[in-house]
């Protein structure tokens, strides 16, 4: 009731300009009740079809009706009118509940927060502080795309602190993402949309129906809506004007499909298939079929989901951070502002080594919720790429980490090691030879280095790993030593960051080197945190301007 004066002063969906950052309360897309209740409606339709299966078979195939249909029972008892009345009443109640839910679901964006109020019986109020924004995710599921709607999610630091706006008009969602990122960057006002062009002098009177290509607009409205939806499906997830072309990294579909096929899941399927064949030959295939066959059938859906959700994957640098876009039928794009990446892992599974493919995963303080992003894409910055792709993506994720020395450190961390590169300069402090007792195959690739404000950790043989941690984002360093390591004068080290798939740890390191690492990391973290200005990236002087000065 207390929202009505605000609604009368400024109708949320009838404002003369599309400014959603004016601090006023606005409503979501009018189709939101239908889109949010879609699963409920599908369940009702499925229930009706299940109960009318005999009548549907008789209608489409011409087979004999076996009876037992609820419609027949209602008709025989003369209760058709009451049944229609009940159905109409249920539909009316559903429509009223959906409408009231939409009316009470409002949001506003100010210079400090994004706030959402929702709930009809049980009210909820969620706020996201703009200075704690870790990213803005824009998702366009298949069905909402047909209505020209999109879901916007603002991820913030903390557990379950994300704020979701589902759903907004597709163009409004794009503009609102841009404005939220501008406000979070330290700008006091969001960029305003361009003013609409002035109407021509010989504009038709307002009471005359406009004409488009000789056809009244009323007749061409549906065609225009369908054309707009078709163009949205064809349009790339990344606006070509949003990022310089040289900063865009794209993944060929063949490489993406090959990386999914050459995965650990495929190895598991091969082992399961071999066990199934052996059991059939041995004559004891009953329990194996029950245990393995459903998984083999479900693997088809797994591959289809992984491939379709990561097709059209692109990474680009924008003025407001790294933009990651992916998806074929349902699309998503994630914008990570500068300074929001806490740890980076460059890894190469053994099955990818022959092709020279690598993957990049990250840790951020606020991960996208499961409703808007899968675990695979939510923490993956590069699903699969070459060495050149890795270097370009790392330059986007770590601005300024792009000199020749930095590139040599990255390449040496990914491919180097004393055992392989004998006689070649190694920039890492490696584990001593006595570490072979604890890491017989990987001790020679276990090492660490620090360059400027970034710490690097190299490890692994079967799966090569290179960990990069911005010291300004590091939350602590730990050195530990058990009885066996004490006997060998070894220790283990760990750099603490926010939770995520990346773990920055060294299993073996010389005890004297461990003390040096502790000193470098602790002092470097304090120094880098004091000098860090990435949380207000709009106030940072661009590198080109610094060079000119």
């Amino acid at each position: 009731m207390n929202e009505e004066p605000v609604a009368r002063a400024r109708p949320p969906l009838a404002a003369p300009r599309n400014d959603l950052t004016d601090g006023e309360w606005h409503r979501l897309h009018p189709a939101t009740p239908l889109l949010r209740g879609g699963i409920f409606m599908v369940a009702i339709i499925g229930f009706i079809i299940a109960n009318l299966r005999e009548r549907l078979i008789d209608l489409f195939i011409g087979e004999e009706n076996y009876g037992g249909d609820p419609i027949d029972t209602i008709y025989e008892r003369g209760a058709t009118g009451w049944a229609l009345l009940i159905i109409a009443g249920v539909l009316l109640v559903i429509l009223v509940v959906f409408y009231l839910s939409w009316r009470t679901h409002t949001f506003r964006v100010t210079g400090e927060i994004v706030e959402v109020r929702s709930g009809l019986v049980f009210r909820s109020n969620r706020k996201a502080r703009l200075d704690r924004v870790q990213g803005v995710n824009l998702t366009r599921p298949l069905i909402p795309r047909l209505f020209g709607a999109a879901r916007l999610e603002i991820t913030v630091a903390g557990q379950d602190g994300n704020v979701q706006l589902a759903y907004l008009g597709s163009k409004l969602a794009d503009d609102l993402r841009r404005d939220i990122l501008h406000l979070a960057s330290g700008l006091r006002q969001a960029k305003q949309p361009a003013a609409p062009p002035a109407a021509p002098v010989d504009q038709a009177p307002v009471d005359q129906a406009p004409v488009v290509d000789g056809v009244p607009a009323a007749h061409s409205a549906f065609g225009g809506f369908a054309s707009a939806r078709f163009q949205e499906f064809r349009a790339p997830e990344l606006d070509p004007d949003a990022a310089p072309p040289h900063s865009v990294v794209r993944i060929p579909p063949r490489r993406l499909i090959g990386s999914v096929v050459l995965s650990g899941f495929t190895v598991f399927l091969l082992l399961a298939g071999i066990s199934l064949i052996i059991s059939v030959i041995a004559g004891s295939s009953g329990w194996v079929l029950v245990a393995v066959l459903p998984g083999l059938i479900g693997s088809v859906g797994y591959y289809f989901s992984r491939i379709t959700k990561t097709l059209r994957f692109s990474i680009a640098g924008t003025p407001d951070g790294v933009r990651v876009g992916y998806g074929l039928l349902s699309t998503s794009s994630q914008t990570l502002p500068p300074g929001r990446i806490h740890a980076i892992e460059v890894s190469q599974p053994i099955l990818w080594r022959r092709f020279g493919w690598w993957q990049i995963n990250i840790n951020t303080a606020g991960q996208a919720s499961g409703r808007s992003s899968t675990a695979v894409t939510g923490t993956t910055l590069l699903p699969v790429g070459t060495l050149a792709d890795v270097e370009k993506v790392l330059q986007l994720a770590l601005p300024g980490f792009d000199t020749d020395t930095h590139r040599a450190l990255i390449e040496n961390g990914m491919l180097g090691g004393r055992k392989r590169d004998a006689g070649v300069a190694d920039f890492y402090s490696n584990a001593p030879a006595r570490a072979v007792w604890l890491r017989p195959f990987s001790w020679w690739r276990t090492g660490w280095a620090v360059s400027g404000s970034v710490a690097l950790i190299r490890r692994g043989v079967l799966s090569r790993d290179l960990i990069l941690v911005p010291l300004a984002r590091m939350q602590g360093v730990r050195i530990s030593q058990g009885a066996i390591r004490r006997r060998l004068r070894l220790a283990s080290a760990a750099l603490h960051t926010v939770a995520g798939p990346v773990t920055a740890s060294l299993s073996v390191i010389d005890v004297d080197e461990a003390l040096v690492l502790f000193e470098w990391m602790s002092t470097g973290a304090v120094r880098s945190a004091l000098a860090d200005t990435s949380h207000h990236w709009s106030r940072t002087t661009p590198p080109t301007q610094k060079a000119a000065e």
Side-chain angles (χ1 to χ4, degrees), residues 13-87:
L13 295 176
R17 59 189 178 92
N18 295 330
D19 181 12
L20 300 180
T21 59
D22 54 3
E24 302 288 341
W25 290 99
H26 300 270
R27 292 194 178 93
L28 302 173
H29 193 281
T32 296
L34 176 62
L35 298 176
R36 293 175 66 92
I39 297 178
F40 178 70
M41 298 299 294
V42 169
I44 293 179
I45 294 174
F47 175 78
I48 294 175
I49 293 177
N51 283 277
L52 300 180
R53 56 188 181 274
E54 285 84 6
R55 184 174 292 273
L56 292 175
I57 292 174
D58 187 25
L59 177 64
F60 291 102
I61 303 179
E63 295 290 338
E64 181 181 355
N65 194 331
Y66 295 98
D69 197 312
I71 297 296
D72 294 333
T73 304
I74 293 174
Y75 181 78
E76 291 172 358
R77 295 185 179 182
T80 304
W82 286 105
L84 294 175
L85 184 62
I86 292 175
I87 293 175

Side-chain angles (χ1 to χ4, degrees), residues 80-118:
T80 304
W82 286 105
L84 294 175
L85 184 62
I86 292 175
I87 293 175
V90 171
L91 291 177
L92 181 62
V93 170
I94 292 175
L95 291 176
V96 170
V97 170
F98 279 0
Y99 174 75
L100 293 178
S101 175
W102 173 75
R103 289 279 301 180
T104 57
H105 197 140
T106 57
F107 72 95
R108 66 173 179 173
V109 181
T110 68
E112 294 80 23
I113 63 170
V114 178
E115 185 176 3
V116 178
R117 299 187 307 193
S118 61

Side-chain angles (χ1 to χ4, degrees), residues 444-505:
W444 51 274
R445 261 192 55 84
T446 303
W448 66 280
V450 176
S451 179
S453 60
V454 178
L456 301 95
I457 292 177
R458 180 181 65 192
R459 67 190 184 196
V461 173
L462 294 180
S463 177
R464 295 172 176 170
D465 299 327
L466 173 64
I467 316 297
L468 300 96
V469 178
L471 292 178
R473 309 272 85 80
M474 193 181 71
Q475 299 183 351
V477 56
R478 176 175 59 87
I479 304 297
S480 59
Q481 188 182 49
I484 299 177
R485 286 180 172 81
R486 190 180 303 117
R487 180 75 175 177
L488 296 172
R489 288 191 52 78
L490 298 173
S492 61
L495 309 183
H496 296 301
T497 67
V498 297
V502 182
T503 303
S505 61

Side-chain angles (χ1 to χ4, degrees), residues 310-505:
T310 51
L311 279 176
R312 300 175 67 192
F313 205 104
S314 64
I315 310 100
T318 68
D320 293 310
V322 181
R323 177 77 59 82
V324 181
Y326 50 89
L328 181 61
L329 301 177
S330 297
T331 65
S332 298
S333 63
Q334 181 181 18
T335 304
L336 299 171
R340 268 52 175 185
I341 297 178
H342 290 245
I344 304 172
E345 179 185 50
V346 184
S347 60
Q348 184 185 58
I350 191 172
L351 295 178
W352 292 6
R353 189 167 302 176
R354 185 180 182 279
F355 304 95
W357 295 342
W358 299 82
Q359 184 180 67
I360 299 180
N361 295 315
I362 59 173
N363 286 355
T364 59
Q367 304 291 354
S369 68
R371 291 173 294 177
S372 64
S373 182
T374 62
V376 174
T377 51
T379 58
T380 301
L381 200 58
L382 179 66
V384 56
T386 62
L387 179 60
D389 294 335
V390 169
E391 292 180 351
K392 185 179 290 189
V393 172
L394 290 181
Q395 291 174 15
L396 298 176
L398 299 173
F401 200 76
D402 56 357
T403 65
D404 292 338
T405 302
H406 295 148
R407 282 189 286 269
L409 269 172
I410 293 172
E411 187 171 350
N412 194 245
M414 295 167 62
L415 302 173
R418 289 186 307 193
K419 184 175 180 179
R420 174 171 178 168
D421 299 325
V424 178
D426 193 355
F427 302 100
Y428 288 75
S429 298
N430 296 296
R434 58 182 180 274
V436 69
W437 294 102
L438 298 179
R439 290 294 182 270
F441 303 107
S442 62
W443 66 270
W444 51 274
R445 261 192 55 84
T446 303
W448 66 280
V450 176
S451 179
S453 60
V454 178
L456 301 95
I457 292 177
R458 180 181 65 192
R459 67 190 184 196
V461 173
L462 294 180
S463 177
R464 295 172 176 170
D465 299 327
L466 173 64
I467 316 297
L468 300 96
V469 178
L471 292 178
R473 309 272 85 80
M474 193 181 71
Q475 299 183 351
V477 56
R478 176 175 59 87
I479 304 297
S480 59
Q481 188 182 49
I484 299 177
R485 286 180 172 81
R486 190 180 303 117
R487 180 75 175 177
L488 296 172
R489 288 191 52 78
L490 298 173
S492 61
L495 309 183
H496 296 301
T497 67
V498 297
V502 182
T503 303
S505 61

Side-chain angles (χ1 to χ4, degrees), residues 269-292:
L269 286 181
L270 290 176
L271 295 176
I274 292 173
S275 64
L276 181 60
I277 294 173
I278 294 175
S279 63
V280 170
I281 296 175
S284 58
S285 60
W287 66 272
V288 177
L289 284 174
V290 174
V292 176

